[in-house]
Amino acid sequence: MRTTLLDSSEPRVVEPDIIIQICLCHHVRRAARSFTRAFDYAIHPCGLNYSQFNMLVVIAALEPVPTPRVADYMAMDRTTICRNIKPLSRAGYLELQHGAGRRPGIVSLSEAGHTVLAEANPLWQAAQGDLTRRVGAGRAGELLEVLGQAVADK
């Protein structure tokens, strides 16, 4: 069984093989890459990758929404959000009301955005169902709860 905490509060050198076994960040990122690959593959027929799909979903859930709120909701840097919005806007999936400078201010889905999201939805459902079965339905719920706690503002 993996130990998730070091036994001593004294600073010491931790061997790389131990870090690989117990590092929360390593395991979360590794799982995230695996999950992302599965969702990317599933959603690809719609011409989206999972990051784009996820951004459209967040915007659709909150629209019309200021871009800083999207950044906060997604726990991402605001400049990254603005950079990721540009290709979705060029594809015609978003409607932007510009804010200060060149940054988008308020963003919402266009008709094409709602259409591609509707096309991607059953593909997402299939991938979600597959990953839920792989993890186990009860454990998937626990995982969502734990991950939510991990990113909650304290």
Side-chain angles (χ1 to χ4, degrees), residues 5 18 36 41 83 85-86 94 97 102 109 114 123 126:
L5 300 174
I18 301 300
T36 299
Y41 180 79
R83 202 170 39 251
I85 282 174
K86 287 179 185 177
L94 299 177
Q97 295 175 12
R102 295 185 313 204
L109 265 59
H114 284 286
L123 303 174

Side-chain angles (χ1 to χ4, degrees), residues 32-91:
R33 285 189 291 271
S34 176
F35 278 43
T36 299
R37 274 192 304 275
F39 281 107
D40 277 346
Y41 180 79
I43 294 169
H44 178 75
C46 291
L48 299 173
N49 62 39
Y50 182 75
S51 294
Q52 293 168 325
F53 171 81
N54 189 43
M55 182 163 294
L56 291 175
V57 167
V58 168
I59 292 168
L62 304 173
E63 70 180 339
V65 60
T67 54
R69 184 161 178 229
V70 175
D72 291 343
Y73 192 86
M74 295 182 75
M76 294 174 73
D77 183 80
R78 290 178 187 177
T79 58
T80 303
I81 292 293
C82 291
R83 202 170 39 251
N84 291 338
I85 282 174
K86 287 179 185 177
L88 293 171
S89 177
R90 281 194 301 269

Side-chain angles (χ1 to χ4, degrees), residues 2 16 26 29 32 43 51 62 87 89 94 99 112-113 120 125 142 144-145:
R2 286 191 188 132
H26 168 73
R29 290 178 61 114
I43 294 169
S51 294
L62 304 173
S89 177
L94 299 177
Q125 286 182 51
E142 291 171 11
L144 288 172
E145 186 176 325

